[in-house]
């Protein structure tokens, strides 16, 4: 596995690759959800490129950025084990030579759900993903459905800007108790971790969104939103712990789960 911290070296290496290139962009703190993306990419592409970059422009909360888990040594070991060919790990100066003066902004779907609660979040996501796609020039790029709104925005951005890449959505990977895998799960204290699976259970309940909000609030969650749109029920909650607050998001296919239409 080749590791690139220098984007000049990476771009030269990229020009030498022939065949299909699969790309899995991440912010590190890799878990089984990322492993599933990498495995699918490995099965479908000649070359597997992973990026690890904690992108500051998508964090609307400085404490969230500060506490975001960073586990580079174990990430690299897992990447090697899973057959990743190249890992790209740029820094801010290389990725944002413009100082974030240039941005990709979506003006509709990015303003609802998570966008309504995290100002600027999706502009940061779309901007960094556009940069990474231009640097990696993948044939296929893999994104988890846990971040379903992110997946839709990226897919439609690629269509809007005529990017020659297939965006591949991959099913959410869950713990045996139903909690969707997330790098942020490691930040949950023991009591919050024990209560967290109720979030996924409540989203699947055959009740109206308002009743699900009530159920979650009764269980002690601070609810950002529960909304059923486009055949899926989306939710975001904050769990308050003694050391820090942890925000969890999830979504389930509404029709398949018996969730009523809005
Ligand atoms: O989903 C993530 O981990 C990030 O939002 C992404 C797509 C790597 C952009 O920083």
């Amino acid at each position: 596995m080749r590791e690139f911290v220098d984007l000049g070296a990476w771009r030269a290496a990229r020009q030498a690759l022939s065949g299909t290139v699969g790309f899995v962009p991440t912010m590190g703190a890799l878990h089984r959800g990322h492993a599933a993306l990498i495995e699918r990419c490995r099965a479908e592409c000649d070359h597997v490129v992973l990026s690890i970059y904690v992108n500051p422009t998508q964090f609307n909360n400085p404490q969230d950025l500060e506490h975001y888990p960073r586990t580079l040594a174990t990430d690299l070991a897992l990447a090697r084990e899973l057959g990743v060919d190249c890992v790209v790990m740029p820094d801010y100066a290389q990725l944002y030579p413009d100082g974030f003066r240039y941005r990709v902004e979506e003006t509709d779907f990015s303003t609802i759900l998570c966008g309504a609660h995290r100002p600027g979040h999706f502009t940061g996501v779309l901007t960094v993903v556009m940069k990474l796609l231009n640097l990696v020039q993948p044939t296929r790029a893999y994104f988890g459905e846990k971040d379903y709104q992110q997946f839709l925005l990226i897919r439609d951005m690629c269509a809007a800007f005529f990017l020659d890449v297939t965006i591949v959505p991959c099913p959410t990977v869950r713990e045996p108790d139903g909690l969707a895998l997330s790098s942020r799960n490691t930040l949950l204290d023991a009591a919050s971790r024990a209560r967290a699976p109720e979030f996924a259970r409540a989203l699947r309940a055959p009740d109206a969104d308002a009743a699900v909000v009530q159920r979650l609030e009764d269980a002690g969650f601070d609810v950002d939103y529960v909304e059923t749109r486009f055949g899926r029920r989306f939710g975001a909650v904050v769990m308050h712990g003694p050391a820090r607050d942890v925000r969890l998001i999830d979504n389930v296919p509404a029709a398949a789960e018996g969730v009523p239409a809005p």
Side-chain angles (χ1 to χ4, degrees), residues 25-27 53 55 58 125 128-129 143 147 150 154:
T26 78
M27 298 206 296
Y53 178 66
N55 174 38
Q58 70 188 73
V125 169
V128 81
V129 170
F143 293 87
D147 300 298
Q150 167 177 282
I154 290 169

